[in-house]
Amino acid sequence: MDAGDRPARLTVGVLGAGKVGSALGAALAQAGHRVVAASGVSDDSQRWMAERLGVKPSPPDEVVSAAQLVLLTVPDDVLPSLVSGLAATGADLRGKMLVHTSGAHGLSVLDPAAAAGALPFALHPVMTFTGRDDDLNKLTGISYGVTAPEAVRPVAEALVIEMGGEPVWIADADRPLYHAALAGASNHMVTLIAESSDLLRRIGVEHPGRMLGPLLGAALDNVLRLGIAGLTGPVVRGDAGTVRKHVDALILAAPEAADAYVALARLTADRALAAGLLKPEEAERLLDALGGNIWT
């Protein structure tokens, strides 16, 4: 990035200095910007403000007043009321960069602030945050879903690059689907692996992680390199008898997991069939084993 493309050094405020806000604020500080104020109510937020951002808690209106760039890092459902509240209180938003980090929300959630003169954009870091000390290190090399008006887009993208990330442009209307794709892959993966680990413990496997780690690592590598062509297992082999045994065992041991297994097996079979990895007659046998139609 040329020097002329870099945003000027900015004063930064963080509204909601939790796991995400404190990590991004610290990343902006490392890039040469200056965190001047932050707000947060939990004990963890108070600690992260002191340790990561080097500021004391301030009321939201003071955070906005002190900063040129304001990060709105609150839960998705809280974001609309926060923005409308800032606009309703008459906070001077003129020329302020108001940046939310929600994956699902687009620019419309910032409309009340934009009407008051703020410059709105969205920067969604594609990463999970746990509140651990390594959160900041996770930001290097990740993608950010960027949505901004054209006039602000160069600044938004430059900020991402300064934090060591890769800006990826997401059209405003596509953000809900974009976020559904990310959440489906990452959040549901955690649930599936936790469920598998519990089932293995139930039958006496003391360290499920040791058993699952190499298998899951290989599966992840396969799908990222090969897509659906990296699929292995009984569904793509057309082993309907094995799939039926899985379903029967899960119905007895964990009925709530059986429903998820059937739904995912149908989706897997549907994709394998469409990709030519599964023959129609094999798909029919799987259909019977799963107890329903895999075609819509």
Side-chain angles (χ1 to χ4, degrees):
M1 182 172 60
D2 295 335
D5 296 329
R6 297 172 65 92
R9 301 304 88 192
L10 301 169
T11 52
V12 177
V14 182
L15 292 180
K19 299 172 185 176
V20 178
S22 61
L24 292 185
L28 288 169
Q30 283 189 350
H33 302 286
R34 185 163 61 94
V35 178
V36 293
S39 69
V41 295
S42 71
D43 290 342
D44 283 335
S45 292
Q46 309 261 333
R47 175 170 57 85
W48 290 325
M49 276 185 265
E51 295 178 358
R52 294 181 173 184
L53 304 179
V55 297
K56 295 180 179 179
S58 300
D61 59 334
E62 293 184 11
V63 175
V64 173
S65 176
Q68 298 166 306
L69 170 67
V70 182
L71 291 176
L72 307 179
T73 47
V74 297
D76 288 358
D77 289 349
V78 176
L79 185 58
S81 60
L82 173 62
V83 176
S84 59
L86 288 174
T89 59
D92 187 3
L93 299 173
R94 291 172 298 176
K96 304 276 185 179
M97 291 183 237
L98 225 59
V99 184
H100 78 67
T101 59
S102 165
H105 281 296
L107 295 179
S108 62
V109 72
L110 299 173
D111 282 349
L119 304 174
F121 55 97
L123 299 180
H124 174 246
V126 185
M127 179 48 63
T128 61
F129 297 87
T130 63
R132 295 167 59 90
D133 291 340
D134 63 351
D135 276 352
L136 185 56
N137 297 332
K138 292 178 181 178
L139 294 174
T140 302
I142 69 168
S143 297
Y144 286 72
V146 179
T147 303
E150 282 297 326
V152 190
R153 179 171 173 174
V155 174
E157 294 179 336
L159 287 170
V160 169
I161 293 170
E162 285 193 333
M163 289 188 287
E166 178 184 357
V168 179
W169 183 253
I170 306 296
D172 191 70
D174 291 337
R175 287 188 76 87
L177 185 58
Y178 151 81
H179 195 241
L182 297 177
S186 62
N187 302 158
H188 297 167
M189 179 182 68
V190 171
T191 302
L192 287 171
I193 295 172
E195 183 70 25
S196 295
S197 297
D198 289 345
L199 292 172
L200 290 170
R201 288 190 190 93
R202 188 178 301 186
I203 61 170
V205 177
E206 293 185 4
H207 304 290
R210 294 181 189 174
M211 181 177 287
L212 289 170
L215 173 66
L216 297 174
L220 180 60
D221 180 66
N222 286 343
V223 69
L224 292 179
R225 288 189 300 108
L226 305 173
I228 194 65
L231 181 64
T232 63
V235 171
V236 75
R237 291 195 302 265
D239 289 339
T242 297
V243 169
R244 186 67 243 178
K245 288 181 180 179
H246 291 175
V247 175
D248 291 342
L250 287 169
I251 288 173
L252 292 175
E256 69 286 352
D259 290 339
Y261 180 97
V262 168
L264 287 170
R266 288 177 179 168
L267 180 59
T268 301
D270 191 25
R271 292 188 67 94
L273 182 64
L277 302 175
L278 189 66
K279 296 177 181 178
E281 58 270 23
E282 294 172 334
E284 289 290 350
R285 290 195 295 271
L286 285 167
L287 165 65
D288 292 337
L290 294 168
N293 203 323
I294 61 173
W295 294 284
T296 56

